[in-house]
Amino acid sequence: MDVTIGVQNLTREVTVETEQTAADVAAAVKKALAGGPLELTDSRGRQVIIPGSAIGYVEIGSEEQRKVGFGAV
């Protein structure tokens, strides 16, 4: 699932591809907005940490994987 994070005072968004569920990401965002950092682990095992006070918005993508190839039609 893709998670797009808008950070205050930055022109570009931060996009993280993670294997966490939408509920887990939403819980982490709520915790960060309450006063801590937003901590996510991407699909390669790297950890992304963003200060909760710098979060402008968070867009949580769907958990459904996109189909690739000719069978997707």
Side-chain angles (χ1 to χ4, degrees):
M1 149 184 3
D2 288 331
V3 178
T4 304
I5 305 163
V7 181
Q8 295 177 6
N9 301 321
L10 290 179
T11 57
R12 298 185 71 180
E13 302 169 329
V14 176
T15 302
V16 179
E17 184 176 329
T18 184
E19 295 179 4
Q20 293 175 289
T21 65
D24 290 342
V25 173
V29 170
K30 289 176 185 177
K31 183 178 176 184
L33 293 176
L38 174 61
E39 299 181 30
L40 298 174
T41 303
D42 73 0
S43 58
R44 294 183 180 179
R46 296 178 293 193
Q47 197 168 26
V48 177
I49 302 173
I50 298 173
S53 61
I55 296 174
Y57 66 90
V58 177
E59 180 180 308
I60 301 172
S62 65
E63 293 184 33
E64 183 178 313
Q65 296 291 330
R66 289 181 268 156
K67 297 179 181 177
V68 179
F70 293 107
V73 180

